Amino acid sequence: MNGDEQFVIDLLKDFNLNIEKLPRSDGKSPDFLAIHNGKRILIELKTKYDSRNFVESIERELSSSGTCLNINILQRSNTMSGIVKEAYEQLKESKNKYKADECYVFLLASEPYAHDKYEQFYHTLYGSKLIIPLGNNAPTARDCFYYEFSDFFRYSDIIDGALISNGSKMKCCLNNFSEAYKSIKDNVFVDIFKGQVVDPVLLEKEGKAYLLDSNIDRRDTENLNNYLIKKYGLEKLTQASFPSYTIISKTDL
């Protein structure tokens, strides 16, 4: 068992989850099986590390100038989508074998730039975008779920939710497209991870988020915006994804 796996086991045990590491087989298999209140829950751990070339480029810049500036856009990422797809395939292959009731992917974002990876994974799952209403008496900006392509929607036959952690904070993300969504709302994760659960349907109902529940082509920005304007009675709007700026400095100790 490696350090990342032990970290996840210790973390989830702190939430009183009965969890065990599954043996690796020749085929694809998930990492953990958790059992709580009679529910059998498969969890596949993915840790996002930076490529060696990227790390070496940071080291070269630090050696030459003493500082390194990195800019990431906090939005859906094809790299993160590839990670979700791999987890989906592993969970799909083993769901029946372990008679699992629910399946989750756990992303552990690694340093450096763990915060950026954490946010990019979140946006990849939900296809979320910040919507900024414009005009007189416009409401405050809110996240809009499913504005872009969503991996939760794409893999809803298997992935019921996700846990995302950067080592210091965690979110439990529910997939409202999953067939298990209704039962999930009433079971383990909503109870255990209170205050850290993301439920798009509930957030919309509370007026804290927008929900783009339409089959409009996600590449058709004009129609997407018009749909939201009509649904929420807005005058006009724009959408945005924000950059994250990180500066690393080299110091002599």
Side-chain angles (χ1 to χ4, degrees):
M1 186 184 304
N2 63 38
D4 294 333
E5 292 169 339
Q6 189 60 58
F7 173 84
V8 170
I9 286 179
D10 292 342
L11 176 65
L12 295 182
K13 281 185 175 178
D14 285 344
F15 287 97
N16 297 318
L17 267 180
N18 178 13
I19 184 168
E20 63 177 280
K21 177 75 177 73
L22 295 174
R24 280 294 182 188
S25 62
D26 293 336
K28 297 176 181 177
S29 62
D31 290 292
F32 308 108
L33 176 67
I35 300 175
H36 188 85
N37 291 343
K39 294 282 188 179
R40 297 174 62 83
I41 303 160
L42 280 181
I43 301 172
E44 170 58 24
L45 171 65
K46 294 297 180 186
T47 304
K48 178 62 177 76
Y49 290 104
D50 294 303
S51 70
R52 185 59 197 166
N53 287 340
F54 179 72
V55 174
E56 288 175 352
S57 70
I58 294 174
E59 292 172 348
R60 285 194 299 269
E61 193 165 347
L62 287 173
S63 296
S64 63
S65 65
T67 62
C68 176
L69 170 64
N70 188 70
I71 303 173
N72 280 317
I73 305 300
L74 304 183
Q75 62 183 9
R76 176 178 172 78
S77 157
N78 288 336
T79 298
M80 292 300 182
S81 185
I83 292 173
V84 179
K85 180 181 179 181
E86 185 176 299
Y88 166 79
E89 291 171 348
Q90 291 171 271
L91 291 165
K92 184 176 182 180
E93 186 166 308
S94 299
K95 183 174 182 178
N96 290 334
K97 175 182 177 182
Y98 289 101
K99 299 179 181 178
D101 298 291
E102 298 164 18
C103 295
Y104 289 77
V105 56
F106 191 123
L107 180 86
L108 182 59
S110 67
E111 294 290 357
Y113 316 121
H115 168 75
D116 297 357
K117 295 166 188 162
Y118 176 99
E119 291 296 329
Q120 287 173 337
F121 195 76
Y122 175 82
H123 289 297
T124 300
L125 291 171
Y126 283 122
S128 55
K129 199 90 166 177
L130 183 68
I131 297 299
I132 306 170
L134 304 172
N136 296 326
N137 301 314
T140 58
R142 303 174 194 170
D143 280 335
C144 179
F145 292 98
Y146 312 120
Y147 187 93
E148 298 186 300
F149 292 107
S150 158
D151 280 18
F152 265 164
F153 177 79
R154 179 178 295 171
Y155 302 121
S156 59
D157 60 316
I158 293 295
I159 297 180
D160 300 305
L163 299 168
I164 316 174
S165 175
N166 63 1
S168 61
K169 64 178 182 178
M170 185 167 69
K171 286 181 181 177
C172 173
C173 303
L174 304 187
N175 184 357
N176 58 285
F177 291 108
S178 161
E179 290 184 3
Y181 168 68
K182 188 176 184 303
S183 63
I184 289 170
K185 290 184 64 175
D186 301 324
N187 71 14
V188 50
F189 288 121
V190 172
D191 290 337
I192 289 178
F193 300 114
K194 283 181 179 176
Q196 301 171 79
V197 175
V198 180
D199 181 346
V201 175
L202 180 60
L203 288 172
E204 184 201 30
K205 188 178 296 184
E206 293 175 343
K208 297 176 181 177
Y210 296 124
L211 193 64
L212 213 161
D213 49 353
S214 167
N215 61 2
I216 298 170
D217 188 331
R218 267 32 185 187
R219 293 163 293 194
D220 189 347
T221 301
E222 182 178 357
N223 276 333
L224 293 173
N225 289 350
N226 287 337
Y227 178 85
L228 291 173
I229 287 170
K230 183 177 180 180
K231 179 179 180 180
Y232 294 104
L234 305 175
E235 184 176 341
K236 53 185 176 178
L237 62 84
T238 188
Q239 70 282 336
S241 295
F242 290 104
S244 171
Y245 296 87
T246 305
I247 298 176
I248 300 177
S249 298
K250 184 178 181 180
T251 59
D252 296 323
L253 298 178

